[in-house]
Amino acid sequence: MTGMIGQLRSVVIDCPDPRALAGFYAELLGLPLIEDNSDGDDWVVLGNRPGQQPRLAFQKALDLRAPAWPDPERPQQFHLDVTVDDIEAAEKAALALGARRLPGEGEGFRVYADPAGHPFCLCWD
């Protein structure tokens, strides 16, 4: 690989109550809540605004089966958000590394799986 494709934007943790879990980690880590990057109670962000990464984000997962460390039947649930300058070039590079595109995208992000199947998002502002 000749260069960096993107920068870590966020580590995203699935949970049934994002605002409550964000409150826990805000106190534990001393990170501020970034309300203008949050989306109600479904997506809550701690840390810094985009461009000052990484951040810790919490995503609502109503039917979450909580991890049972180290039980492989109930693994950890999180994904990485990676900030890129050019989504088309970054997608091409990620796919060449062995990623695959997954269903789902939104305003400013596309979803992929790493070669082992873990989801991650390429994001742009």
Side-chain angles (χ1 to χ4, degrees):
M1 187 161 116
T2 60
M4 176 178 68
I5 294 171
Q7 292 181 313
L8 180 63
R9 176 189 186 108
S10 306
V11 173
V12 182
I13 300 172
D14 288 354
C15 57
D17 187 345
R19 196 157 290 276
L21 193 57
F24 168 81
Y25 278 101
E27 290 295 320
L28 183 70
L29 303 172
L31 294 172
L33 173 70
I34 308 300
E35 196 65 57
D36 60 340
N37 289 159
S38 298
D39 186 9
D41 291 332
D42 292 337
W43 175 262
V44 181
V45 179
L46 300 178
N48 292 301
R49 64 186 184 280
Q52 294 183 335
Q53 290 93 326
R55 304 175 310 165
L56 189 56
F58 303 86
Q59 174 175 271
K60 183 169 266 187
L62 291 176
D63 296 325
L64 179 78
R65 289 184 63 214
W69 179 264
D71 184 356
E73 293 297 315
R74 305 231 345 239
Q76 301 172 65
Q77 295 104 9
F78 76 97
H79 72 266
L80 300 179
D81 283 350
V82 178
T83 297
V84 299
D85 292 325
D86 178 340
I87 183 58
E88 301 305 331
E91 178 176 90
K92 183 177 177 181
L95 294 174
L97 290 173
R100 62 186 165 85
R101 184 84 185 270
L102 295 176
E105 71 178 78
E107 185 177 325
F109 71 92
R110 292 183 188 166
V111 184
Y112 304 83
D114 69 18
H118 302 109
F120 69 95
C121 295
L122 295 180
C123 307
W124 62 97
D125 294 321

